[in-house]
């Protein structure tokens, strides 16, 4: 998994210096996911790795809206409740 470092880290990783801030590195998926989750790096989506999304098909019938709570009481033109 390719990641881009968001911070500069001191020390070494497997005997080599960590990539500098802004540099891209190719790391094992588990290690890269850990760095992304902790906010130290971000995943790089390069050419050929473009994520695509497909929208779900539109519903043909209008959904029926279910209200929660008490039903609305009928009202006249002035907004007064009509009691029967």
């Amino acid at each position: 998994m390719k990641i881009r470092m968001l911070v500069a880290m001191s020390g070494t990783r497997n005997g080599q210096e960590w990539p500098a801030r802004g540099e891209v590195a190719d790391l094992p998926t588990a290690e890269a996911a850990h760095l992304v989750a902790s906010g130290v790096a971000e995943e790089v989506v390069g050419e050929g790795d473009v994520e695509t999304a497909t929208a779900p098909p539109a519903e043909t019938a209008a959904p029926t809206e279910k209200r929660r709570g008490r039903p609305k009481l009928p009202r006249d033109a002035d907004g007064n409740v009509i009691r029967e």
Side-chain angles (χ1 to χ4, degrees):
M1 173 187 249
K2 288 187 178 183
I3 60 167
R4 177 175 294 112
M5 298 299 292
L6 298 177
V7 298
M9 293 180 61
S10 62
T12 60
R13 179 191 164 274
N14 294 339
Q16 297 180 356
E17 294 289 323
W18 280 96
R21 181 176 180 219
E23 288 185 3
V24 175
D26 193 11
L27 299 176
T29 304
E31 187 175 356
H34 176 72
L35 293 174
V36 170
S38 64
V40 175
E42 64 184 1
E43 184 176 0
V44 174
V45 180
E47 295 177 19
D49 294 340
V50 177
E51 293 183 15
T52 58
T54 56
E59 294 183 21
T60 55
T64 58
E65 185 175 330
K66 292 185 178 180
R67 296 182 50 95
R68 296 180 66 174
R70 294 188 297 183
K72 293 256 182 183
L73 296 174
R75 296 180 180 266
D76 62 12
D78 295 328
N80 298 320
V81 175
I82 300 173
R83 302 231 181 237
E84 293 183 21

